[in-house]
Structure formats: C-alpha cells, structure tokens
Amino acid sequence: MSTHADAAAGLLAVNRRRRRIRRRVAIATLPLTLAALLLVVKLLSMYAFAHASISSFVSGAYAESESAARGQDVANWFEPFAAPYNIGTALAGADELAASRSELERALPLAQGLQVCPVMINLSLVIERQGDAAQADGDAAKAAELYGEALEITVETPEECRSDEAQQQSPQPNRDMSDTLDENQQRQQEKQRQSQQPPDQPQQPDQSEQPQTPHDKLDDIEDRLNQGAQEREEQLGGGQGDEGTGGGTDRPW
C-alpha cells in the first residue's frame, strides 16, 4: 500500500512542477506575445489607413484622404515616408500648396531607394503650381523663382526613377515615369522662360498713316493699351489648364 501511495505522491509532485514551469514560461513569453499581437494590429491598421487614403483621394475626398494618411503617421516604423507623402498629396489635391510642400519635403529624407521617385515628382509639381499661383497674382519674379526650384528638383530626380523597376513600384503604374519627368522638365523650362520675359509693349503708331485728330489718337492709344493688357492676361492664363497644373499629383500609396 505504501508503494502505491508513494507513487501517487510522486506523480502529483511532478505535475505540480510541470504546472509551475508552464506558468513561468507563459509569464516570461507574455511580452513577446503582446508585441506580436500589437505588430499584427499595427500592420492591419496601416493597410486600412493606406487603403482609405487611396480610395478617398481617387474619389476626390481630399480631406478624408488626408485624415486617413495621418493615421499612418503614428509609430510608422515600416515606411516612414508614406504618411507625409500621402498627406502632402492629399493637401495638393485640396490646393493647400504650402502645407503640401511642407509635408512632401518632410517625406523626402525619409524615403529610401526608389521611394524618392514619386516624392520628388509630386514635390516638383506642387512647387510648379505655386509658381502658377504667383504668376496669376502678377508676381512674375516670384513665379520665375518657383519654376526654377521645380525644374531643379525635376532635373535632380535620380536616373533610376526612369527604370522598369521604378515604374513597377510607381503609385501610378499606367503612367510612364520617364515620360512624366521629360514632360515636367520641358513644361517647367518654358514657364520659367516666359515668366522672365518683360511684358509686351504697345506698338508705336505707323508714321506713314495720315495725321489723326487728338480724339482719334486717344482712342487709338486706348485700344492698343487694352489689346496689350488682354495679351498679357492671355499669356498669364495660358498655362492654367491641365498642362499648367503639371498634370496633377500622383495618387498616394
């Protein structure tokens, strides 16, 4: 009888030791388990925010796109550039150009490798649109300065951004990145050149014409001044269509 009792007591002792070991292992691994769970939640939330930002941007709901992108900005260890890039792109869609430029400039040093390509393209387009706004306000000198900044960024965009790999990673894969860079450079050069030209001067009257009365001369001068103003207005507004806005901004990631 004592042998059976001793065996049972030994078995109970072994079970108690096993339970203590399991409990200690569970306590020791609890931080790792929680960390893994938080990682999964973070990844899912990042995907959700990115999807919401893209969907809202495509539908033209730029405020909602910006709000979703700001959700990506919290503890983003995986693609730290993505949140400011998406925020800046959404702000550009809403014509908040100064704020958009600030976010895209924040995204640029955070981007790695080919990630810099869409950031630099959008930053260049936003600065170009700032130049369009300055030109429309009659500040040709400021417009020329901004066009120069936009052109410099376009020219400094890495050559790797024209590669097939960059095209595959582009947020707009149906739009050739190399062609976009060429078009941006040509357009920005032309805008800078035009903004540096002096305004058209009214033409002098033809001396071979018959003498005019003072009243006729006054009417003629007024007509030429009006014509010159109209030509300058057309020149200023000539770049404000689809081409003037630089083709818009790339959609967010």
mmCIF file of all heavy atoms in Angstrom, residues 141-190:
data_model
loop_
_atom_site.group_PDB
_atom_site.id
_atom_site.type_symbol
_atom_site.label_atom_id
_atom_site.label_comp_id
_atom_site.label_asym_id
_atom_site.label_seq_id
_atom_site.Cartn_x
_atom_site.Cartn_y
_atom_site.Cartn_z
ATOM 1 N N ALA A 141 8.459 87.711 -60.950
ATOM 2 C CA ALA A 141 9.759 87.373 -60.370
ATOM 3 C C ALA A 141 9.647 86.171 -59.437
ATOM 4 O O ALA A 141 10.477 85.257 -59.475
ATOM 5 C CB ALA A 141 10.328 88.575 -59.625
ATOM 6 N N LYS A 142 8.620 86.174 -58.596
ATOM 7 C CA LYS A 142 8.413 85.039 -57.684
ATOM 8 C C LYS A 142 8.080 83.783 -58.471
ATOM 9 O O LYS A 142 8.539 82.684 -58.129
ATOM 10 C CB LYS A 142 7.293 85.364 -56.700
ATOM 11 C CG LYS A 142 7.043 84.278 -55.653
ATOM 12 C CD LYS A 142 8.256 84.091 -54.754
ATOM 13 C CE LYS A 142 7.973 83.099 -53.656
ATOM 14 N NZ LYS A 142 9.170 82.867 -52.797
ATOM 15 N N ALA A 143 7.272 83.930 -59.516
ATOM 16 C CA ALA A 143 6.917 82.783 -60.345
ATOM 17 C C ALA A 143 8.164 82.174 -60.978
ATOM 18 O O ALA A 143 8.340 80.946 -60.975
ATOM 19 C CB ALA A 143 5.922 83.200 -61.426
ATOM 20 N N ALA A 144 9.055 83.026 -61.506
ATOM 21 C CA ALA A 144 10.282 82.529 -62.129
ATOM 22 C C ALA A 144 11.141 81.776 -61.109
ATOM 23 O O ALA A 144 11.732 80.736 -61.416
ATOM 24 C CB ALA A 144 11.075 83.688 -62.733
ATOM 25 N N GLU A 145 11.189 82.296 -59.883
ATOM 26 C CA GLU A 145 11.967 81.636 -58.829
ATOM 27 C C GLU A 145 11.398 80.252 -58.505
ATOM 28 O O GLU A 145 12.132 79.271 -58.375
ATOM 29 C CB GLU A 145 11.966 82.509 -57.579
ATOM 30 C CG GLU A 145 12.701 81.893 -56.395
ATOM 31 C CD GLU A 145 12.599 82.745 -55.144
ATOM 32 O OE1 GLU A 145 12.173 83.922 -55.244
ATOM 33 O OE2 GLU A 145 12.940 82.239 -54.050
ATOM 34 N N LEU A 146 10.074 80.170 -58.390
ATOM 35 C CA LEU A 146 9.433 78.898 -58.069
ATOM 36 C C LEU A 146 9.560 77.903 -59.214
ATOM 37 O O LEU A 146 9.806 76.706 -58.981
ATOM 38 C CB LEU A 146 7.965 79.139 -57.715
ATOM 39 C CG LEU A 146 7.729 79.849 -56.378
ATOM 40 C CD1 LEU A 146 6.290 80.350 -56.266
ATOM 41 C CD2 LEU A 146 8.051 78.911 -55.207
ATOM 42 N N TYR A 147 9.391 78.372 -60.438
ATOM 43 C CA TYR A 147 9.575 77.480 -61.587
ATOM 44 C C TYR A 147 11.000 76.936 -61.611
ATOM 45 O O TYR A 147 11.220 75.766 -61.958
ATOM 46 C CB TYR A 147 9.273 78.208 -62.888
ATOM 47 C CG TYR A 147 7.817 78.542 -63.099
ATOM 48 C CD1 TYR A 147 7.429 79.744 -63.703
ATOM 49 C CD2 TYR A 147 6.804 77.661 -62.702
ATOM 50 C CE1 TYR A 147 6.094 80.052 -63.904
ATOM 51 C CE2 TYR A 147 5.473 77.973 -62.892
ATOM 52 C CZ TYR A 147 5.121 79.169 -63.494
ATOM 53 O OH TYR A 147 3.782 79.486 -63.696
ATOM 54 N N GLY A 148 11.973 77.796 -61.238
ATOM 55 C CA GLY A 148 13.355 77.337 -61.187
ATOM 56 C C GLY A 148 13.559 76.261 -60.141
ATOM 57 O O GLY A 148 14.287 75.284 -60.369
ATOM 58 N N GLU A 149 12.909 76.407 -58.979
ATOM 59 C CA GLU A 149 13.014 75.395 -57.925
ATOM 60 C C GLU A 149 12.387 74.078 -58.382
ATOM 61 O O GLU A 149 12.945 72.989 -58.147
ATOM 62 C CB GLU A 149 12.323 75.892 -56.658
ATOM 63 C CG GLU A 149 13.024 77.058 -55.974
ATOM 64 C CD GLU A 149 12.279 77.505 -54.741
ATOM 65 O OE1 GLU A 149 11.513 76.705 -54.171
ATOM 66 O OE2 GLU A 149 12.452 78.666 -54.330
ATOM 67 N N ALA A 150 11.225 74.169 -59.012
ATOM 68 C CA ALA A 150 10.561 72.960 -59.506
ATOM 69 C C ALA A 150 11.420 72.262 -60.553
ATOM 70 O O ALA A 150 11.570 71.027 -60.540
ATOM 71 C CB ALA A 150 9.195 73.320 -60.090
ATOM 72 N N LEU A 151 11.997 73.041 -61.458
ATOM 73 C CA LEU A 151 12.837 72.478 -62.516
ATOM 74 C C LEU A 151 14.085 71.816 -61.929
ATOM 75 O O LEU A 151 14.506 70.739 -62.380
ATOM 76 C CB LEU A 151 13.234 73.577 -63.491
ATOM 77 C CG LEU A 151 14.137 73.171 -64.662
ATOM 78 C CD1 LEU A 151 13.476 72.098 -65.513
ATOM 79 C CD2 LEU A 151 14.487 74.402 -65.509
ATOM 80 N N GLU A 152 14.663 72.425 -60.897
ATOM 81 C CA GLU A 152 15.860 71.862 -60.275
ATOM 82 C C GLU A 152 15.563 70.486 -59.671
ATOM 83 O O GLU A 152 16.360 69.555 -59.802
ATOM 84 C CB GLU A 152 16.379 72.807 -59.193
ATOM 85 C CG GLU A 152 17.654 72.332 -58.519
ATOM 86 C CD GLU A 152 18.176 73.322 -57.499
ATOM 87 O OE1 GLU A 152 17.518 74.369 -57.279
ATOM 88 O OE2 GLU A 152 19.232 73.054 -56.896
ATOM 89 N N ILE A 153 14.414 70.355 -59.018
ATOM 90 C CA ILE A 153 14.047 69.062 -58.436
ATOM 91 C C ILE A 153 13.830 68.024 -59.535
ATOM 92 O O ILE A 153 14.249 66.868 -59.417
ATOM 93 C CB ILE A 153 12.784 69.209 -57.565
ATOM 94 C CG1 ILE A 153 13.094 70.075 -56.347
ATOM 95 C CG2 ILE A 153 12.264 67.845 -57.124
ATOM 96 C CD1 ILE A 153 11.868 70.415 -55.517
ATOM 97 N N THR A 154 13.164 68.432 -60.613
ATOM 98 C CA THR A 154 12.943 67.507 -61.731
ATOM 99 C C THR A 154 14.257 67.027 -62.314
ATOM 100 O O THR A 154 14.446 65.829 -62.572
ATOM 101 C CB THR A 154 12.098 68.188 -62.822
ATOM 102 O OG1 THR A 154 10.808 68.530 -62.291
ATOM 103 C CG2 THR A 154 11.903 67.270 -64.014
ATOM 104 N N VAL A 155 15.189 67.949 -62.526
ATOM 105 C CA VAL A 155 16.481 67.594 -63.116
ATOM 106 C C VAL A 155 17.285 66.698 -62.172
ATOM 107 O O VAL A 155 18.007 65.800 -62.616
ATOM 108 C CB VAL A 155 17.275 68.874 -63.463
ATOM 109 C CG1 VAL A 155 18.695 68.534 -63.889
ATOM 110 C CG2 VAL A 155 16.568 69.651 -64.566
ATOM 111 N N GLU A 156 17.155 66.933 -60.860
ATOM 112 C CA GLU A 156 17.928 66.166 -59.880
ATOM 113 C C GLU A 156 17.285 64.823 -59.523
ATOM 114 O O GLU A 156 17.859 64.062 -58.744
ATOM 115 C CB GLU A 156 18.122 66.990 -58.609
ATOM 116 C CG GLU A 156 19.043 68.191 -58.803
ATOM 117 C CD GLU A 156 19.234 68.989 -57.532
ATOM 118 O OE1 GLU A 156 18.493 68.713 -56.553
ATOM 119 O OE2 GLU A 156 20.097 69.880 -57.522
ATOM 120 N N THR A 157 16.104 64.531 -60.064
ATOM 121 C CA THR A 157 15.488 63.232 -59.811
ATOM 122 C C THR A 157 16.401 62.128 -60.320
ATOM 123 O O THR A 157 16.865 62.185 -61.459
ATOM 124 C CB THR A 157 14.117 63.141 -60.513
ATOM 125 O OG1 THR A 157 13.274 64.178 -60.019
ATOM 126 C CG2 THR A 157 13.460 61.797 -60.223
ATOM 127 N N PRO A 158 16.721 61.117 -59.499
ATOM 128 C CA PRO A 158 17.692 60.099 -59.901
ATOM 129 C C PRO A 158 17.324 59.418 -61.215
ATOM 130 O O PRO A 158 16.147 59.222 -61.530
ATOM 131 C CB PRO A 158 17.648 59.095 -58.735
ATOM 132 C CG PRO A 158 17.183 59.896 -57.564
ATOM 133 C CD PRO A 158 16.225 60.905 -58.121
ATOM 134 N N GLU A 159 18.347 59.063 -61.975
ATOM 135 C CA GLU A 159 18.141 58.393 -63.252
ATOM 136 C C GLU A 159 17.452 57.043 -63.060
ATOM 137 O O GLU A 159 16.743 56.568 -63.953
ATOM 138 C CB GLU A 159 19.492 58.200 -63.949
ATOM 139 C CG GLU A 159 19.393 57.708 -65.379
ATOM 140 C CD GLU A 159 18.739 58.724 -66.304
ATOM 141 O OE1 GLU A 159 18.762 59.931 -65.987
ATOM 142 O OE2 GLU A 159 18.196 58.301 -67.345
ATOM 143 N N GLU A 160 17.639 56.436 -61.864
ATOM 144 C CA GLU A 160 16.997 55.152 -61.578
ATOM 145 C C GLU A 160 15.475 55.251 -61.607
ATOM 146 O O GLU A 160 14.779 54.235 -61.752
ATOM 147 C CB GLU A 160 17.452 54.622 -60.219
ATOM 148 C CG GLU A 160 18.898 54.170 -60.161
ATOM 149 C CD GLU A 160 19.884 55.320 -60.061
ATOM 150 O OE1 GLU A 160 19.442 56.477 -59.900
ATOM 151 O OE2 GLU A 160 21.098 55.059 -60.137
ATOM 152 N N CYS A 161 14.947 56.452 -61.460
ATOM 153 C CA CYS A 161 13.497 56.637 -61.481
ATOM 154 C C CYS A 161 12.913 56.411 -62.870
ATOM 155 O O CYS A 161 11.686 56.344 -63.021
ATOM 156 C CB CYS A 161 13.138 58.043 -60.989
ATOM 157 S SG CYS A 161 13.511 58.312 -59.233
ATOM 158 N N ARG A 162 13.752 56.302 -63.863
ATOM 159 C CA ARG A 162 13.301 56.010 -65.226
ATOM 160 C C ARG A 162 13.354 54.508 -65.533
ATOM 161 O O ARG A 162 13.043 54.106 -66.641
ATOM 162 C CB ARG A 162 14.158 56.776 -66.237
ATOM 163 C CG ARG A 162 14.100 58.295 -66.090
ATOM 164 C CD ARG A 162 15.041 58.975 -67.075
ATOM 165 N NE ARG A 162 15.021 60.426 -66.966
ATOM 166 C CZ ARG A 162 14.171 61.227 -67.605
ATOM 167 N NH1 ARG A 162 13.287 60.694 -68.434
ATOM 168 N NH2 ARG A 162 14.197 62.535 -67.436
ATOM 169 N N SER A 163 13.756 53.711 -64.565
ATOM 170 C CA SER A 163 13.937 52.283 -64.800
ATOM 171 C C SER A 163 12.605 51.533 -64.752
ATOM 172 O O SER A 163 11.587 52.043 -64.254
ATOM 173 C CB SER A 163 14.886 51.703 -63.749
ATOM 174 O OG SER A 163 14.295 51.770 -62.454
ATOM 175 N N ASP A 164 12.633 50.293 -65.244
ATOM 176 C CA ASP A 164 11.439 49.452 -65.207
ATOM 177 C C ASP A 164 11.051 49.124 -63.765
ATOM 178 O O ASP A 164 9.857 49.042 -63.444
ATOM 179 C CB ASP A 164 11.692 48.153 -65.978
ATOM 180 C CG ASP A 164 11.848 48.389 -67.466
ATOM 181 O OD1 ASP A 164 11.370 49.429 -67.958
ATOM 182 O OD2 ASP A 164 12.456 47.531 -68.148
ATOM 183 N N GLU A 165 12.037 48.947 -62.909
ATOM 184 C CA GLU A 165 11.744 48.645 -61.511
ATOM 185 C C GLU A 165 11.016 49.808 -60.842
ATOM 186 O O GLU A 165 10.060 49.600 -60.082
ATOM 187 C CB GLU A 165 13.044 48.348 -60.758
ATOM 188 C CG GLU A 165 12.827 47.937 -59.312
ATOM 189 C CD GLU A 165 14.126 47.656 -58.591
ATOM 190 O OE1 GLU A 165 15.199 47.762 -59.232
ATOM 191 O OE2 GLU A 165 14.086 47.334 -57.392
ATOM 192 N N ALA A 166 11.455 51.033 -61.129
ATOM 193 C CA ALA A 166 10.779 52.202 -60.577
ATOM 194 C C ALA A 166 9.351 52.300 -61.098
ATOM 195 O O ALA A 166 8.429 52.665 -60.365
ATOM 196 C CB ALA A 166 11.560 53.469 -60.921
ATOM 197 N N GLN A 167 9.179 51.964 -62.378
ATOM 198 C CA GLN A 167 7.846 52.001 -62.966
ATOM 199 C C GLN A 167 6.919 50.998 -62.290
ATOM 200 O O GLN A 167 5.744 51.290 -62.036
ATOM 201 C CB GLN A 167 7.936 51.708 -64.466
ATOM 202 C CG GLN A 167 6.618 51.802 -65.217
ATOM 203 C CD GLN A 167 6.029 53.201 -65.180
ATOM 204 O OE1 GLN A 167 6.768 54.195 -65.186
ATOM 205 N NE2 GLN A 167 4.714 53.298 -65.133
ATOM 206 N N GLN A 168 7.444 49.818 -61.965
ATOM 207 C CA GLN A 168 6.635 48.802 -61.303
ATOM 208 C C GLN A 168 6.232 49.221 -59.900
ATOM 209 O O GLN A 168 5.165 48.847 -59.413
ATOM 210 C CB GLN A 168 7.419 47.484 -61.253
ATOM 211 C CG GLN A 168 7.639 46.848 -62.617
ATOM 212 C CD GLN A 168 8.588 45.665 -62.556
ATOM 213 O OE1 GLN A 168 9.099 45.311 -61.501
ATOM 214 N NE2 GLN A 168 8.839 45.044 -63.705
ATOM 215 N N GLN A 169 7.068 50.015 -59.232
ATOM 216 C CA GLN A 169 6.769 50.467 -57.876
ATOM 217 C C GLN A 169 6.007 51.786 -57.841
ATOM 218 O O GLN A 169 5.645 52.259 -56.769
ATOM 219 C CB GLN A 169 8.073 50.621 -57.082
ATOM 220 C CG GLN A 169 8.834 49.335 -56.888
ATOM 221 C CD GLN A 169 10.078 49.515 -56.021
ATOM 222 O OE1 GLN A 169 10.181 50.457 -55.243
ATOM 223 N NE2 GLN A 169 11.028 48.601 -56.157
ATOM 224 N N SER A 170 5.764 52.373 -58.984
ATOM 225 C CA SER A 170 5.098 53.674 -59.051
ATOM 226 C C SER A 170 3.663 53.581 -58.555
ATOM 227 O O SER A 170 2.964 52.594 -58.810
ATOM 228 C CB SER A 170 5.096 54.192 -60.495
ATOM 229 O OG SER A 170 4.291 55.342 -60.620
ATOM 230 N N PRO A 171 3.171 54.609 -57.833
ATOM 231 C CA PRO A 171 1.767 54.622 -57.429
ATOM 232 C C PRO A 171 0.818 54.786 -58.612
ATOM 233 O O PRO A 171 -0.384 54.592 -58.467
ATOM 234 C CB PRO A 171 1.681 55.823 -56.474
ATOM 235 C CG PRO A 171 2.825 56.693 -56.870
ATOM 236 C CD PRO A 171 3.911 55.762 -57.318
ATOM 237 N N GLN A 172 1.365 55.153 -59.769
ATOM 238 C CA GLN A 172 0.572 55.240 -60.998
ATOM 239 C C GLN A 172 1.272 54.419 -62.087
ATOM 240 O O GLN A 172 1.893 54.971 -62.993
ATOM 241 C CB GLN A 172 0.398 56.690 -61.438
ATOM 242 C CG GLN A 172 -0.567 57.483 -60.561
ATOM 243 C CD GLN A 172 -0.849 58.861 -61.132
ATOM 244 O OE1 GLN A 172 0.057 59.603 -61.484
ATOM 245 N NE2 GLN A 172 -2.105 59.201 -61.219
ATOM 246 N N PRO A 173 1.199 53.090 -62.012
ATOM 247 C CA PRO A 173 1.942 52.247 -62.960
ATOM 248 C C PRO A 173 1.507 52.421 -64.404
ATOM 249 O O PRO A 173 2.267 52.085 -65.322
ATOM 250 C CB PRO A 173 1.649 50.828 -62.459
ATOM 251 C CG PRO A 173 0.381 50.939 -61.666
ATOM 252 C CD PRO A 173 0.403 52.304 -61.051
ATOM 253 N N ASN A 174 0.314 52.934 -64.647
ATOM 254 C CA ASN A 174 -0.153 53.139 -66.020
ATOM 255 C C ASN A 174 0.381 54.421 -66.637
ATOM 256 O O ASN A 174 0.143 54.690 -67.812
ATOM 257 C CB ASN A 174 -1.680 53.150 -66.058
ATOM 258 C CG ASN A 174 -2.277 51.815 -65.683
ATOM 259 O OD1 ASN A 174 -1.678 50.771 -65.931
ATOM 260 N ND2 ASN A 174 -3.453 51.836 -65.074
ATOM 261 N N ARG A 175 1.080 55.211 -65.842
ATOM 262 C CA ARG A 175 1.647 56.469 -66.327
ATOM 263 C C ARG A 175 3.160 56.342 -66.333
ATOM 264 O O ARG A 175 3.776 56.140 -65.286
ATOM 265 C CB ARG A 175 1.213 57.617 -65.418
ATOM 266 C CG ARG A 175 1.694 58.982 -65.871
ATOM 267 C CD ARG A 175 1.155 60.046 -64.929
ATOM 268 N NE ARG A 175 1.589 61.379 -65.291
ATOM 269 C CZ ARG A 175 1.321 62.481 -64.602
ATOM 270 N NH1 ARG A 175 0.607 62.372 -63.489
ATOM 271 N NH2 ARG A 175 1.749 63.651 -64.997
ATOM 272 N N ASP A 176 3.781 56.430 -67.507
ATOM 273 C CA ASP A 176 5.215 56.218 -67.635
ATOM 274 C C ASP A 176 5.978 57.306 -66.882
ATOM 275 O O ASP A 176 5.835 58.498 -67.172
ATOM 276 C CB ASP A 176 5.617 56.212 -69.105
ATOM 277 C CG ASP A 176 7.053 55.798 -69.294
ATOM 278 O OD1 ASP A 176 7.931 56.677 -69.270
ATOM 279 O OD2 ASP A 176 7.295 54.583 -69.446
ATOM 280 N N MET A 177 6.802 56.893 -65.925
ATOM 281 C CA MET A 177 7.505 57.849 -65.082
ATOM 282 C C MET A 177 8.561 58.623 -65.869
ATOM 283 O O MET A 177 8.784 59.813 -65.638
ATOM 284 C CB MET A 177 8.137 57.124 -63.901
ATOM 285 C CG MET A 177 8.643 58.039 -62.800
ATOM 286 S SD MET A 177 9.203 57.145 -61.327
ATOM 287 C CE MET A 177 7.640 56.488 -60.725
ATOM 288 N N SER A 178 9.213 57.956 -66.819
ATOM 289 C CA SER A 178 10.218 58.634 -67.625
ATOM 290 C C SER A 178 9.585 59.729 -68.474
ATOM 291 O O SER A 178 10.106 60.848 -68.567
ATOM 292 C CB SER A 178 10.941 57.615 -68.515
ATOM 293 O OG SER A 178 11.939 58.250 -69.295
ATOM 294 N N ASP A 179 8.452 59.414 -69.098
ATOM 295 C CA ASP A 179 7.753 60.428 -69.896
ATOM 296 C C ASP A 179 7.288 61.580 -69.018
ATOM 297 O O ASP A 179 7.341 62.751 -69.433
ATOM 298 C CB ASP A 179 6.552 59.800 -70.604
ATOM 299 C CG ASP A 179 6.962 58.845 -71.719
ATOM 300 O OD1 ASP A 179 8.148 58.885 -72.120
ATOM 301 O OD2 ASP A 179 6.106 58.055 -72.162
ATOM 302 N N THR A 180 6.819 61.274 -67.825
ATOM 303 C CA THR A 180 6.366 62.314 -66.902
ATOM 304 C C THR A 180 7.502 63.271 -66.567
ATOM 305 O O THR A 180 7.325 64.501 -66.577
ATOM 306 C CB THR A 180 5.822 61.685 -65.607
ATOM 307 O OG1 THR A 180 4.671 60.899 -65.918
ATOM 308 C CG2 THR A 180 5.438 62.754 -64.600
ATOM 309 N N LEU A 181 8.681 62.734 -66.286
ATOM 310 C CA LEU A 181 9.825 63.589 -65.968
ATOM 311 C C LEU A 181 10.210 64.465 -67.153
ATOM 312 O O LEU A 181 10.512 65.657 -66.989
ATOM 313 C CB LEU A 181 11.003 62.722 -65.534
ATOM 314 C CG LEU A 181 10.881 62.072 -64.150
ATOM 315 C CD1 LEU A 181 11.975 61.025 -63.952
ATOM 316 C CD2 LEU A 181 10.956 63.118 -63.053
ATOM 317 N N ASP A 182 10.201 63.891 -68.362
ATOM 318 C CA ASP A 182 10.527 64.676 -69.554
ATOM 319 C C ASP A 182 9.513 65.793 -69.780
ATOM 320 O O ASP A 182 9.880 66.938 -70.073
ATOM 321 C CB ASP A 182 10.575 63.764 -70.784
ATOM 322 C CG ASP A 182 11.774 62.821 -70.765
ATOM 323 O OD1 ASP A 182 12.754 63.115 -70.056
ATOM 324 O OD2 ASP A 182 11.715 61.776 -71.445
ATOM 325 N N GLU A 183 8.239 65.470 -69.638
ATOM 326 C CA GLU A 183 7.187 66.471 -69.832
ATOM 327 C C GLU A 183 7.283 67.575 -68.782
ATOM 328 O O GLU A 183 7.131 68.768 -69.099
ATOM 329 C CB GLU A 183 5.814 65.805 -69.765
ATOM 330 C CG GLU A 183 5.535 64.855 -70.925
ATOM 331 C CD GLU A 183 4.321 63.985 -70.678
ATOM 332 O OE1 GLU A 183 3.673 64.173 -69.607
ATOM 333 O OE2 GLU A 183 4.026 63.115 -71.509
ATOM 334 N N ASN A 184 7.533 67.188 -67.527
ATOM 335 C CA ASN A 184 7.653 68.185 -66.467
ATOM 336 C C ASN A 184 8.827 69.125 -66.724
ATOM 337 O O ASN A 184 8.712 70.344 -66.557
ATOM 338 C CB ASN A 184 7.832 67.495 -65.111
ATOM 339 C CG ASN A 184 6.581 66.783 -64.643
ATOM 340 O OD1 ASN A 184 5.521 66.910 -65.253
ATOM 341 N ND2 ASN A 184 6.687 66.035 -63.564
ATOM 342 N N GLN A 185 9.956 68.564 -67.131
ATOM 343 C CA GLN A 185 11.128 69.396 -67.376
ATOM 344 C C GLN A 185 10.884 70.382 -68.515
ATOM 345 O O GLN A 185 11.187 71.578 -68.392
ATOM 346 C CB GLN A 185 12.343 68.513 -67.711
ATOM 347 C CG GLN A 185 13.613 69.312 -67.980
ATOM 348 C CD GLN A 185 14.825 68.411 -68.172
ATOM 349 O OE1 GLN A 185 14.786 67.231 -67.844
ATOM 350 N NE2 GLN A 185 15.893 68.965 -68.715
ATOM 351 N N GLN A 186 10.306 69.911 -69.608
ATOM 352 C CA GLN A 186 10.050 70.783 -70.753
ATOM 353 C C GLN A 186 9.065 71.884 -70.384
ATOM 354 O O GLN A 186 9.272 73.063 -70.713
ATOM 355 C CB GLN A 186 9.511 69.958 -71.927
ATOM 356 C CG GLN A 186 9.249 70.779 -73.177
ATOM 357 C CD GLN A 186 8.738 69.911 -74.319
ATOM 358 O OE1 GLN A 186 8.587 68.703 -74.180
ATOM 359 N NE2 GLN A 186 8.479 70.524 -75.463
ATOM 360 N N ARG A 187 7.992 71.517 -69.681
ATOM 361 C CA ARG A 187 6.969 72.495 -69.316
ATOM 362 C C ARG A 187 7.516 73.533 -68.323
ATOM 363 O O ARG A 187 7.264 74.730 -68.470
ATOM 364 C CB ARG A 187 5.771 71.767 -68.721
ATOM 365 C CG ARG A 187 4.574 72.674 -68.427
ATOM 366 C CD ARG A 187 3.430 71.884 -67.828
ATOM 367 N NE ARG A 187 3.805 71.260 -66.560
ATOM 368 C CZ ARG A 187 4.017 69.949 -66.415
ATOM 369 N NH1 ARG A 187 3.891 69.130 -67.440
ATOM 370 N NH2 ARG A 187 4.355 69.449 -65.235
ATOM 371 N N GLN A 188 8.260 73.080 -67.350
ATOM 372 C CA GLN A 188 8.788 73.996 -66.342
ATOM 373 C C GLN A 188 9.834 74.933 -66.925
ATOM 374 O O GLN A 188 9.899 76.109 -66.545
ATOM 375 C CB GLN A 188 9.359 73.189 -65.171
ATOM 376 C CG GLN A 188 8.277 72.498 -64.348
ATOM 377 C CD GLN A 188 8.792 71.354 -63.489
ATOM 378 O OE1 GLN A 188 9.987 71.052 -63.493
ATOM 379 N NE2 GLN A 188 7.898 70.708 -62.745
ATOM 380 N N GLN A 189 10.643 74.442 -67.851
ATOM 381 C CA GLN A 189 11.598 75.316 -68.534
ATOM 382 C C GLN A 189 10.875 76.412 -69.310
ATOM 383 O O GLN A 189 11.274 77.584 -69.270
ATOM 384 C CB GLN A 189 12.470 74.492 -69.484
ATOM 385 C CG GLN A 189 13.541 73.666 -68.796
ATOM 386 C CD GLN A 189 14.325 72.800 -69.760
ATOM 387 O OE1 GLN A 189 13.788 72.347 -70.780
ATOM 388 N NE2 GLN A 189 15.586 72.551 -69.462
ATOM 389 N N GLU A 190 9.809 76.034 -70.009
ATOM 390 C CA GLU A 190 9.065 77.002 -70.804
ATOM 391 C C GLU A 190 8.391 78.036 -69.904
ATOM 392 O O GLU A 190 8.402 79.242 -70.202
ATOM 393 C CB GLU A 190 8.029 76.277 -71.664
ATOM 394 C CG GLU A 190 7.172 77.203 -72.524
ATOM 395 C CD GLU A 190 7.981 77.968 -73.552
ATOM 396 O OE1 GLU A 190 9.120 77.561 -73.858
ATOM 397 O OE2 GLU A 190 7.464 78.989 -74.049
#
